[in-house]
Amino acid sequence: MKAHVLVAFLGYALQVTLKHLLKRSGSEYSPAQALKRLSELYSVDIVLPTVEGREIWLRRITKRRKIRKATHQLRLELPERLEPIQILKCSADSAIA
């Protein structure tokens, strides 16, 4: 029960904070509209094989015009690229597998 109340409170606090950030920046977005725009934000992994048989992983963020407007109004800066997550490949002789 305590966890449920905590999660509800955190959700409410985030919504109120988002509402104030949008209002302060003069945005025409409501918190729901801003969240909808931000939900269109994706990261993409580009995998480039090398001649040596290795792979170069590049992680990029989509930057659509609608998202740029929302992030600008919220004063959020998106990085040009993200650090790729290390992907561990399972081996056939792994004791855990």
Side-chain angles (χ1 to χ4, degrees):
M1 180 66 174
K2 288 181 183 179
H4 176 75
V5 172
L6 177 63
V7 170
F9 172 75
L10 290 174
Y12 175 75
L14 287 171
Q15 172 128 5
V16 169
T17 302
L18 184 57
K19 181 179 175 181
H20 287 293
L21 286 172
L22 291 166
K23 186 176 181 180
R24 186 182 326 158
S25 69
S27 175
E28 70 272 6
Y29 289 137
S30 69
Q33 290 170 323
L35 288 173
K36 183 178 179 184
R37 289 285 179 238
L38 293 174
S39 72
E40 298 169 1
L41 185 65
Y42 295 100
S43 69
V44 178
D45 288 330
I46 302 168
V47 183
L48 303 170
T50 64
V51 197
E52 296 89 23
R54 296 178 30 208
E55 295 176 336
I56 298 173
W57 286 65
L58 303 172
R59 180 161 285 175
R60 297 290 186 257
I61 299 174
T62 60
K63 292 192 178 182
R64 296 184 183 164
R65 195 169 295 138
K66 295 176 185 177
I67 293 173
R68 276 189 241 153
K69 185 176 179 182
T71 56
H72 176 72
Q73 290 178 353
L74 290 170
R75 296 183 182 144
L76 297 174
E77 291 186 33
L78 298 177
E80 280 298 315
R81 64 181 193 181
L82 300 172
E83 293 298 321
I85 298 173
Q86 295 295 325
I87 299 177
L88 302 175
K89 296 183 180 180
C90 298
S91 63
D93 58 355
S94 174
I96 300 173

